[in-house]
Amino acid sequence: MNRVLLIDDDEELCEMLAEYLEAEGFEVAAAHNGEEGAQQALAGDADAVVLDIMLPGQSGLESLRQIRQQSLVPVIMLTAKGDDVDRIVGLELGADDYLPKPCNPRELVARLRAVLRRATPGMARDMLQVGDVTIRSAERVAEWAGERMALTSTEFNLLETLARQAGRVVSKEELSERVLGHPLSRYDRSVDVHVSNLRRKLGQLPDGRSPIQTVRGIGYQLVAV
């Protein structure tokens, strides 16, 4: 049974979501402020976290920053509808996905199952090597020039997807479907932000470029050097 931590100051909403999630087979805990939520997330008892951005005291963004300093637990943000700034900042800080509030509980379940599925090691035992990038799928380990990278589950899956098609341009639509688990919607910059985060964690090619190249209007390509 997967354990989900809800961090939201709306206790009535938490009770409603908890009831729905438990009926779907999840074990649920809740925290109603950012400080307590971050502490519970870092205790290691949660398999995934649902985090509201608008929290009293310590904001959800600050809680996310605190969580990401020590943990790669999957995090889904709840953001105000149309609030693109908080959404992008959250993704830049390492959130795996987001949903606008008020959220549909059925969609939240689908997003949770998607991030948990991406965070669970698959059966593949193969190792991928693309230039200085090494990926061991079964262990969910990625290395750059022999140094282990600290990647979120979304970043790992993004890198693995690009590596499996190294040298070929992968469209944003395909990346959204395979990595985020849902179709790319209009004006959705989630893929771009995750690529930007991944680029910061990767090294550089001999000519100083990032190994992930943008193909304008299409998508991204991992350079097979």
Side-chain angles (χ1 to χ4, degrees), residues 1 51 89 91 102 107 118 122 139 157 160 170 176 190 205:
M1 182 178 291
L51 172 64
V89 170
L91 291 171
E107 184 171 5
R118 298 196 304 265
E139 301 167 61
N157 284 282
E160 183 182 33
V170 186
S176 184
S190 300
L205 298 173

Side-chain angles (χ1 to χ4, degrees), residues 89-177:
V89 170
L91 291 171
E92 288 175 341
L93 290 175
D96 292 271
D97 205 348
Y98 69 85
L99 274 175
K101 291 181 73 175
C103 68
N104 183 317
R106 181 178 296 179
E107 184 171 5
L108 177 59
V109 167
R111 297 292 181 96
L112 279 168
R113 286 178 173 153
V115 297
L116 287 166
R117 186 168 58 248
R118 298 196 304 265
T120 302
M123 295 304 293
R125 296 287 175 182
D126 57 323
M127 183 178 78
L128 292 173
Q129 183 79 48
V130 181
D132 284 331
V133 174
T134 303
I135 295 175
R136 297 196 294 275
S137 298
E139 301 167 61
R140 293 190 65 79
V141 169
E143 298 175 348
W144 173 265
E147 295 292 325
R148 185 164 179 163
M149 303 169 64
L151 302 180
T152 66
S153 61
T154 299
E155 291 164 356
F156 178 88
N157 284 282
L158 175 60
L159 181 59
E160 183 182 33
T161 299
L162 291 171
R164 289 192 179 280
Q165 303 184 63
R168 187 178 83 78
V169 180
V170 186
S171 70
K172 292 182 183 180
E173 290 79 6
E174 183 176 347
L175 289 172
S176 184
E177 289 276 6

